[in-house]
């Protein structure tokens, strides 16, 4: 699925649409260069679930937990991870084992350690804004893509 994102609001709206159709247990990879809109998408996702506080990229803390409306959401930023084993030492398996939504920026830094995602989203700059390429993997990913198509129609 390929979606044009004309501005920041469109990226926030995509995050909100994802929150509307994403099951409680879902692993979402967010790739793209610096400034592509990964954290903005997460902000839209969390706001749609009712989070009113700030949403910043957890570059130095590795993970930021949220519980909007009682739902567990973990926002990871692996930009500073030098070795995927750092995730093991940080207790990473516990985050992915439960009934939580995990949104992971820079997932390639955790390659070989992270479980397979349900959704793989790549954000990139274009001449007229940004684009999001969304790939659903497995049954959960396919169901989210189908629901997202219906939600955005």
């Amino acid at each position: 699925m390929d979606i044009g994102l004309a501005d920041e609001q469109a990226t926030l709206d995509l995050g909100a649409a994802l929150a509307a159709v994403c099951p409680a247990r879902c692993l979402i990879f967010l790739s793209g260069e610096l400034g592509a809109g990964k954290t903005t998408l997460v902000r839209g996702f969390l706001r749609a679930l009712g989070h009113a506080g700030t949403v910043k990229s957890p570059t130095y803390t590795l993970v930021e937990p949220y519980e909007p409306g009682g739902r567990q959401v973990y926002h990871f930023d692996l930009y500073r991870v030098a070795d995927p084993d750092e995730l093991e030492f940080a207790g990473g398996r516990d985050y992915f084992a439960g009934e939580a939504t995990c949104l992971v920026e820079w997932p390639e830094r955790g390659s070989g350690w992270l479980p397979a995602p349900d959704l793989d989203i790549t954000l990139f700059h274009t001449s007229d804004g940004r684009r999001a390429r969304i790939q659903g993997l497995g049954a959960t990913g396919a169901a989210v893509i189908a629901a997202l198509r219906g939600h955005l129609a």
Side-chain angles (χ1 to χ4, degrees):
M1 179 176 205
D2 215 40
I3 299 172
L5 305 168
D7 54 21
E8 180 180 355
Q9 187 59 53
T11 305
L12 291 167
D13 291 346
L14 176 58
L18 280 168
V21 300
C22 189
R25 182 185 175 115
C26 192
L27 176 54
I28 302 170
F29 284 1
L30 299 166
S31 300
E33 60 192 38
L34 286 170
K38 298 178 294 293
T39 301
T40 301
L41 189 141
V42 173
R43 187 175 302 116
F45 188 98
L46 289 166
R47 293 261 189 274
L49 294 176
H51 178 73
T54 60
V55 177
K56 57 185 175 152
S57 190
T59 303
Y60 294 99
T61 59
L62 188 66
V63 62
E64 190 67 39
Y66 298 92
E67 287 195 31
R71 181 172 172 176
Q72 286 187 312
V73 179
Y74 297 108
H75 177 200
F76 291 83
D77 184 331
L78 306 186
Y79 183 73
R80 299 203 178 275
V81 171
D83 183 332
D85 287 336
E86 290 177 42
L87 297 169
E88 183 71 38
F89 301 127
R93 291 202 194 279
D94 295 337
Y95 293 107
F96 300 109
E99 291 296 314
T101 303
C102 296
L103 298 119
V104 182
E105 295 187 39
W106 302 97
E108 61 275 12
R109 307 279 173 116
S111 182
W113 188 89
L114 289 170
D118 298 303
L119 291 177
D120 191 356
I121 301 174
T122 302
L123 296 160
F124 52 95
H125 296 279
T126 64
S127 60
D128 59 344
R130 296 181 180 135
R131 292 201 74 73
R133 185 163 295 133
I134 307 172
Q135 182 179 10
L137 305 166
T140 298
V144 170
I145 293 288
L148 187 60
R149 285 185 202 280
H151 190 81
L152 295 174

